[in-house]
Amino acid sequence: MFLKKRHLEILKKMKETEMQNEIEKALPEEFKTRALELFILGFAELKENKITFTEAGKRLMEIVDKIDIEKLPDVFVDSEIIKIMELLEETGNIPEEWMTMLKERFLADENGLSEIGKEILKIYKETHPVVYLTPEILAFIKDMPKIGVYDELITYKNTKEYGDNIINALQAMRLLLISPKTESGKAFATTKALNYALKVASLVPNLNRALILRKEDFEVLEKGETTEELTESGFYEDGEVTELGQAMMDTYKEMGKVEEKTLPIYILDDEIKVLKAIEEIKEKYETNPEILPTYDEIKKRTNIDDLGAILHTLESKELIKREVVKNKDTYWMTEFGEKVKDLGVVSTDGMKAITYPESGDVPIAEWVVKGKEEGTVNRGITEKGKYLIKLSKTIKRKPYLTKYDISTLIKIPRKKYIHRDELVKLIQDHVGGDEKEIIKALGECESKGFIKELQNKMIKLTELGEEVKTAIEMAKIQELLATKFAVTPTTFNILKTIYEHKEEFDKVWKEKSEGKEHKENEIVLLAKYLSLTPEEIKKNLVILKNVGLIGKKGLTDAGIKLVEAYINLW
């Protein structure tokens, strides 16, 4: 959305007359541009010499009468203001400087969004812009950066004629979003709808007029029908919608669409070291089968202190898999691992710089800066970024819970947001650690799918987080915290195997109740389904029983809940 003070003045004047020439005479500055933007926003129809309200325009008109327009800043509402309003509505907590911006526009007060703010946000959510693509707009979007810090957009805009008006129009059509200002400034991102507008640009390289698609036009084409105007525009020909018409329809459909965000995967430097070590060992194994990628062999080549944690992390993201070779537990790269080892590190923030625009949202400047450093962003999503998004959508995550993950899940209240600063203090008091270490762990916790952190640093449990929190609270929390590798892909695979083959394992446990030896049968049965050595299975069974995920007669309620949480995720 994009509304300047001038738009509201025009709307107010329209109560007195519909005649464009009379309104323009009273408000000559930028009249034609602002009237056109009201049309794009879906608030007005421009026919001959008249401006008439749409239903959305009439709703906005009612608000205009309640605002002292003279006291407003030049820009009343844009995509930055809308994002701030959305965050305030959803979390109830925004930085003071953001709140000041809303208050000076009469959009918020000490109780949150004002009645005016609520109605503006409601109108935004319930209205749909018009597709309005001029030769100037299409030329502008062809070469514009698609994701970046705000200064990049301004620099590019200043090289183009009508740059300011085009930026406004792109915001009005929800093809461009600008983030609220943070310590690193502002960021911007184009939405997926712009990709379809770019297709329009490629189909009409020598356009000399505006291409327009309103709601009623879209509905006509969707039925496979046409009008004289749509046919003349090249959207319909020979009894069917043309490729141009389809691109216009796709642009319309995508405008303002917000989708579920892809989980922002992270890749650590030590993970890449391990993957490259496994590759080196594999090459030697091909000529010398006695050299295997065991824990000790990998440790010898990487000298990573906490190698166990890195191996669990890699397995949790399906970058490696465990196999028993020559009665030894070994680690091998998956197809995903083969690719990731050459891509370099990426943090959760560096991924959010691209997963947010993919879903129709805008990242903050800190995430974009990180994305540029880590190579997921360069005027848009890079090839590295595209692969990591694909990877993140494809893999089946398995749990690997650190003490910070467990503490995070325990300390975040259900169904409520908590500020990151407050959460960091709660975790510090609970399990210790310095602030930087905990913030990094929270990013990893988000990548694991347990939490989501929004642009205003407010954090909330995801559906998976809620379910895993329940499982943890049903288990033995202190033992979970005290056991470094309690919930790992390996222990989870054991739980899942028992869950999926309940009848077979029930028989084993029944034999125990009848006084028979069952432990070996239990291990043999697990080895039948899992590529783990008997020693590894035995060690992990002890851990699972100690932390309360396995009981005397099978999985506990906590164990069942944990397995089902991930089955639901997949």
Side-chain angles (χ1 to χ4, degrees), residues 95-132:
E96 188 54 43
E97 55 270 32
W98 296 6
M99 181 61 89
T100 300
M101 292 172 71
L102 297 187
K103 285 180 177 178
E104 67 184 5
R105 290 165 169 80
F106 308 101
L107 299 171
D109 53 36
E110 59 277 1
N111 298 315
L113 285 180
S114 64
E115 290 307 311
I116 290 171
K118 289 175 185 175
E119 183 60 16
I120 287 285
L121 198 52
K122 191 176 178 185
I123 290 171
Y124 173 78
K125 290 176 179 178
E126 294 176 2
T127 56
H128 195 294
V130 171
V131 182
Y132 185 86

Side-chain angles (χ1 to χ4, degrees), residues 392-408:
S392 205
K393 287 178 178 178
T394 306
I395 60 172
K396 281 188 175 180
R397 284 169 172 78
K398 292 176 183 172
Y400 167 47
L401 297 183
T402 66
K403 67 177 181 180
Y404 292 128
D405 295 324
I406 294 167
S407 182
T408 298

Side-chain angles (χ1 to χ4, degrees), residues 57-90:
K58 290 173 185 175
R59 288 169 63 185
L60 187 60
M61 192 67 256
E62 293 174 13
I63 295 173
V64 169
D65 286 337
K66 300 174 184 176
I67 301 174
D68 187 345
I69 296 177
E70 290 303 313
K71 293 182 178 179
L72 289 177
D74 183 49
V75 175
F76 175 49
V77 174
D78 58 6
S79 56
E80 177 185 7
I81 296 296
I82 288 290
K83 175 45 61 179
I84 294 172
M85 292 168 72
E86 287 176 332
L87 291 169
L88 178 58
E89 180 187 52
E90 185 172 351

Side-chain angles (χ1 to χ4, degrees), residues 46 69 102 119 206 214 230 290 307 317 340 350 531 564:
L46 309 178
I69 296 177
L102 297 187
E119 183 60 16
N206 300 311
R214 307 171 183 81
L230 292 173
E290 296 305 311
L307 178 60
K317 293 181 282 196
V340 164
S531 190
E564 290 180 345

